[in-house]
Amino acid sequence: MNGHSKALINLLRGWPNPGLLPKAQLRTATAKVLSDPDLSSEGLLYGPLPGNKSLRVELAAWLTRFYKPDRSIEWERICISGGASQNLACILQVYTDPVFTRNIWMVSPTYFLACRIFEDAGFMGRLRGVPEDDDGISIEYLRRGLQQSEHDAESNGNSKPMLKPQRAWNKVYRHIIYAVPTFANPSSKTMSLERRQQLIAVAREYDALVVTDDVYDQLQWRVSSTLSPSLKEAVQPRLVDVDRSYEGGAERAGSDGFGNAVSNGSFSKIVAPGCRTGWAEGTETFVSGLSKAGSTNSGSAPSQLIASFMTELLASGELENHLYTTLQPSYARRYNIMNGAIKDILVPLGITLPQSERTVVGGYFIWMSLPAPLMADDLATCAQQEENIIIAPGSLFGVDGDMRDGDLEREVRLCFTWVEEDNLRDSIERLGRVISRMQDAGAHGQEIWSLASRRKVVDAGYQ
C-alpha cells in the first residue's frame, strides 16, 4: 500500500493476469504424469542433453501446424530450455566470444532486461541500438554499423576467437542481432516479411546470428469485431523459418550448417511464467551444439520435470484449447477496451499509435507516442503521484550504453494483460486527466511535476 486515495493500477508489469492461468489443466497434466511410473521416473531423473524427446516431438508437430512452413519441422531441430532468458544466456555461452564477437545489435526500443544478459556474457559497452520503422529493423542503419564494426575489427587485428575453445560442435559468430519480430516488446510492432528476408541476407553476409524471442507469436487476434478473434495460424513466418527456406536455406551448399537464426520459444506467455520452460529451434547442427552448453552438460536437460507436464498439455490438446478459447479471446477483449479508450480519450490529446492499419494484433503491450513538449519520464512520475497509475516510459527501453535513448523520450508502453478488465478504461481515463493537466500547465508556463529516476518507476512497477 502506498497511502494513495485511489487504487493502484499497474500498466508497467508485463505479466498475465492470475485469472487466466490454466490451473485446472496443469493439475490434470501433473496428476497424469506423476501417477504413471514410466512418465514420472523420466520426469524426475536426469534427461538427455537436448531435452525431453516427447516434448520435442509434440512441439515440432504443433509449430508445424501453427507456422505452416514449406516443409514439416523435424523434432531434431528443437531442444528444450529453461525459458527464453536462460536460453539466451546459453546461446551466448556456446556461440560467442567476448573478444572476437564484435557487437550485439538490438532493435531499439528493446526488451531492456535482455541487456544485462548480454553484459554478463562480456559485452558491456558493445551493445548497439538499431532503430525500427513500421516495417521493422532498419537494414540500412544495421548494415552501416556492421561495416564499421568489421573495419574496426580488422584495424585491431581481431581475426580469431580469443577466449572460447574451438570445438567440433560449435562456432563463434562475428555478430549477434537480437529482436522480438512479432508483436514486439515493447513497441508491439510486427516486422514485415520483406524486412525479415533482408535481415537474414545481411546476417549471412556478415556472419551474424539473429536471435529472436518468438514468445508472443501465438497471442494474436483479429482487429475486426465482426470476425472471431481467434487465429490458429501465424501472421508471419519466424526468422528461423525464413533462414530455413530463403535462397537455398540455412544448410545451402557452401554453408557451415549452423544457420544464421535461432528461435527462442517459451511457455511463460502461453501457460505460466513460473514454468521456466521453453525451447530453441534452429538447424539440427546448431541445436546439437546449443544443447552441449556447459551448464546443460553438467546438470543435464533443463526443466525436465516441467517438460513432462508441458508434453501432456500439448498431447492432450489442452494447450491449444487454452490458447484459442481463453487467451486469444481474453486478450483481444482487453486490447479492444484499452485501445478503444486510447482512441476516445488520448488521441484527441495528440497521442499517436504505430501500425494503426493492422488487421491482426497481439502480444501484451500498446506503444504510444506523446505530442511535444510532453516527456514520457515526466508523465510516468506525474501519473504515479497524482493518479496512482504506473506506466513504462520509453527511456526504459533504450539499449544500455547506446546513444539513441533520446529517440524514446516521448514514447510510452502500456500493458493490458495484468490488471483486471474493469480497470483498463479507468486507467486511460486517469492517464488522460494527467496529460490534460500537464498540457494546461505547459500552456501557462507552469511546472507541476518533478522528475524521478526511471529505476524508481521500474522498481514500483514490478513490486
Side-chain angles (χ1 to χ4, degrees):
M1 298 295 290
N2 58 10
H4 204 285
S5 61
K6 296 180 179 179
L8 174 67
I9 298 181
N10 189 337
L11 300 181
L12 187 157
R13 179 174 286 171
W15 295 9
N17 185 280
L20 297 175
L21 301 176
K23 300 173 186 177
Q25 296 91 324
L26 280 169
R27 186 183 305 115
T28 300
T30 302
K32 180 171 181 178
V33 170
L34 295 180
S35 62
D36 184 306
D38 293 331
L39 294 178
S40 60
S41 294
E42 181 183 27
L44 291 165
L45 294 173
Y46 293 113
L49 296 185
N52 184 302
K53 179 181 176 181
S54 297
L55 180 54
R56 296 166 71 198
V57 170
E58 290 293 341
L59 278 168
W62 173 50
L63 296 174
T64 297
R65 290 194 298 272
F66 182 73
Y67 288 106
K68 295 288 191 296
D70 294 340
R71 60 187 188 277
S72 296
I73 298 168
E74 299 92 355
W75 62 268
E76 293 91 347
R77 288 175 53 86
I78 295 170
C79 66
I80 305 307
S81 73
S85 296
Q86 180 262 6
N87 192 51
L88 177 57
C90 286
I91 290 169
L92 298 173
Q93 290 165 14
V94 175
Y95 288 110
T96 68
D97 179 286
V99 176
F100 179 75
T101 304
R102 287 84 160 104
N103 290 104
I104 308 294
W105 304 90
M106 307 178 73
V107 176
S108 178
T110 196
Y111 169 56
F112 66 99
L113 295 177
C115 293
R116 188 183 297 179
I117 301 174
F118 291 119
E119 291 174 346
D120 285 351
F123 292 99
M124 178 175 286
R126 287 187 288 143
L127 277 56
R128 300 289 182 265
V130 183
E132 63 177 352
D133 57 27
D134 274 355
D135 284 324
I137 187 171
S138 171
I139 298 298
E140 294 76 13
Y141 189 102
L142 174 63
R143 183 182 291 278
R144 288 197 301 271
L146 290 167
Q147 289 173 342
Q148 183 62 51
S149 182
E150 285 301 310
H151 177 269
D152 293 344
E154 183 177 352
S155 300
N156 295 327
N158 186 5
S159 59
K160 62 181 180 179
M162 301 295 292
L163 302 179
K164 295 291 183 74
Q166 293 288 325
R167 296 187 170 106
W169 41 264
N170 80 331
K171 67 169 287 184
V172 174
Y173 289 87
R174 293 173 183 263
H175 300 271
I176 299 294
I177 302 169
Y178 173 79
V180 186
T182 302
F183 313 129
N185 179 5
S187 74
S188 75
K189 293 180 180 179
T190 294
M191 192 183 300
S192 70
L193 176 58
E194 181 180 11
R195 197 62 59 86
R196 293 172 193 241
Q197 293 170 336
Q198 293 170 344
L199 180 54
I200 289 298
V202 170
R204 291 176 180 176
E205 181 180 353
Y206 286 93
D207 188 31
L209 175 65
V210 182
V211 181
T212 59
D213 276 348
D214 297 319
V215 299
Y216 301 103
D217 291 26
Q218 292 83 18
L219 302 179
Q220 58 177 357
W221 50 88
R222 297 181 179 89
V223 173
S224 174
S225 60
T226 62
L227 299 171
S228 170
S230 296
L231 285 170
K232 298 182 180 182
E233 296 182 14
V235 65
Q236 289 284 8
R238 297 164 298 173
L239 269 295
V240 76
D241 299 318
V242 175
D243 190 35
R244 189 184 182 204
S245 61
Y246 183 65
E247 293 189 349
E251 298 170 278
R252 64 199 177 280
S255 70
D256 57 23
F258 284 93
N260 292 89
V262 57
S263 173
N264 219 354
S266 176
F267 291 103
S268 292
K269 303 297 188 292
I270 56 178
V271 178
C275 289
R276 307 317 311 145
T277 306
W279 66 91
E281 183 186 335
T283 68
E284 186 175 346
T285 300
F286 183 96
V287 165
S288 176
L290 178 59
S291 68
K292 294 179 177 65
S295 56
T296 304
N297 191 54
S298 172
S300 194
S303 302
Q304 178 70 355
L305 179 59
I306 303 300
S308 65
F309 303 154
M310 297 301 101
T311 302
E312 177 58 28
L313 278 182
L314 274 168
S316 66
E318 288 297 330
L319 176 55
E320 289 180 84
N321 184 61
H322 178 63
L323 266 173
Y324 303 135
T325 66
T326 298
L327 291 186
Q328 286 188 358
S330 297
Y331 287 156
R333 189 167 57 248
R334 288 164 167 271
Y335 170 87
N336 286 330
I337 292 171
M338 177 177 279
N339 194 57
I342 290 172
K343 289 181 177 180
D344 291 344
I345 300 167
L346 302 187
V347 168
L349 299 176
I351 302 299
T352 57
L353 301 168
Q355 294 186 331
S356 58
E357 301 304 316
R358 288 182 294 177
T359 58
V360 176
V361 295
Y364 271 24
F365 308 107
I366 291 178
W367 184 253
M368 62 186 197
S369 302
L370 304 177
L374 295 184
M375 305 291 279
D377 283 328
D378 299 337
L379 176 61
T381 300
C382 201
Q384 189 170 351
Q385 292 175 349
E386 295 186 8
E387 295 284 349
N388 206 20
I389 179 172
I390 301 176
I391 63 173
S395 58
L396 285 177
F397 306 103
V399 175
D400 285 0
D402 189 72
M403 301 303 293
R404 296 189 61 259
D405 277 11
D407 294 351
L408 307 175
E409 61 189 7
R410 291 195 172 89
E411 309 299 316
V412 173
R413 190 197 76 175
L414 306 177
C415 178
F416 52 83
T417 61
W418 169 249
V419 303
E420 299 299 332
E421 280 188 36
D422 292 345
N423 292 332
L424 289 171
R425 186 171 182 90
D426 180 38
S427 69
I428 302 305
E429 290 174 348
R430 294 193 200 182
L431 202 56
R433 290 195 291 268
V434 176
I435 292 173
S436 293
R437 285 195 290 266
M438 291 174 69
Q439 289 177 327
D440 289 344
H444 291 87
Q446 302 172 6
E447 187 171 315
I448 62 168
W449 62 89
S450 61
L451 293 176
S453 72
R454 72 180 189 176
R455 180 50 53 195
K456 180 177 179 182
V457 175
V458 172
D459 291 343
Y462 280 100
Q463 288 174 351

